[in-house]
Amino acid sequence: RRSQGLSNLEHKLTPIIASISLPSGFRLLADNRGSAYHRMIERMAVKKKLTVGDLEEYGAGYTMEGSWEPYVIFPVTEWDNVVYYQGRTYCAPIDGKTKKFPSKFECPLGSRYWVYNIDEVRVRGVRTVIVVESVLNVISLEKKIRAVGAQDEVAAACVFKHHVSHAQLAKLMS
């Protein structure tokens, strides 16, 4: 656990931070411009009223291997360590599901421990954080926050379910 910047409450409610591996074959979008995958993901971004550059800015990537192949992968970092990730399909879903969460074998600590964009919130030192439901909502809201010049006062973050856990609340409150 990193003691810098953590409140006593956060120490009690959050796990030891340990980096995890992203899915096998993970590639950053920004490093693979012009590839077929980049073009497919760009089309998905446009449908979500974003640009592929927006996804690149947040460290999104993909893999051409295994069960994560049809998903844009969004790493979740805490204190610059990848601690979790989530996927969003870039092609028409067969079963209607558009999001994918890692299994306990991929990420031993589930989504209830992590807050997407928490590193950015900490770096900017904002006092107001708007909590939204999805990674794409964070990216969209952050664009709007910058557009109105409020990035010094407000930031967006997301939790991955419809519930804010005690660990997530401690991080957001600190």
Side-chain angles (χ1 to χ4, degrees):
R1 177 180 349 232
R2 196 181 220 185
S3 60
Q4 265 182 320
L6 295 180
S7 69
N8 286 337
L9 178 63
E10 206 173 353
H11 275 298
K12 292 176 184 172
L13 293 175
T14 59
I16 293 171
I17 296 168
S19 293
I20 57 141
S21 297
L22 289 165
S24 178
F26 178 82
R27 301 165 185 235
L28 285 170
L29 272 173
D31 293 344
N32 293 282
R33 292 187 179 119
S35 71
Y37 283 86
H38 193 274
R39 288 191 301 273
M40 287 187 288
I41 293 167
E42 183 174 31
R43 285 193 294 273
M44 181 274 281
V46 169
K47 287 180 186 175
K48 301 294 183 180
K49 300 190 180 1
L50 295 166
T51 68
V52 72
D54 296 329
L55 305 184
E56 289 174 356
E57 179 183 342
Y58 284 82
Y62 62 94
T63 182
M64 298 184 295
E65 305 172 19
S67 67
W68 285 90
E69 190 268 331
Y71 292 89
V72 180
I73 300 164
F74 295 93
V76 178
T77 61
E78 187 153 324
W79 304 110
D80 295 324
N81 293 296
V82 175
V83 293
Y84 191 73
Y85 52 87
Q86 183 208 358
R88 200 65 190 251
T89 188
Y90 50 79
C91 56
I94 295 168
D95 58 5
K97 295 179 181 176
T98 61
K99 293 181 188 176
K100 181 173 178 150
F101 301 95
S103 73
K104 65 181 176 181
F105 302 108
E106 295 169 288
C107 295
L109 297 175
S111 62
R112 74 177 179 265
Y113 293 102
W114 313 117
V115 177
Y116 184 78
N117 209 36
I118 194 71
D119 275 356
E120 181 66 18
V121 169
R122 289 174 174 145
V123 166
R124 289 188 357 221
V126 298
R127 297 197 42 86
T128 303
V129 179
I130 300 171
V131 179
V132 296
E133 183 191 357
S134 78
V135 170
L136 296 177
N137 292 138
V138 168
I139 297 169
S140 294
L141 186 53
E142 283 285 322
K143 280 181 70 167
K144 299 233 188 254
I145 289 167
R146 284 193 301 265
V148 298
Q151 63 273 14
D152 293 337
E153 295 104 40
V154 180
C158 90
V159 296
F160 300 99
K161 305 287 184 185
H162 297 284
H163 171 77
V164 179
S165 71
H166 292 295
Q168 291 166 325
L169 182 60
K171 290 174 185 188
L172 291 164
M173 295 300 290
S174 69

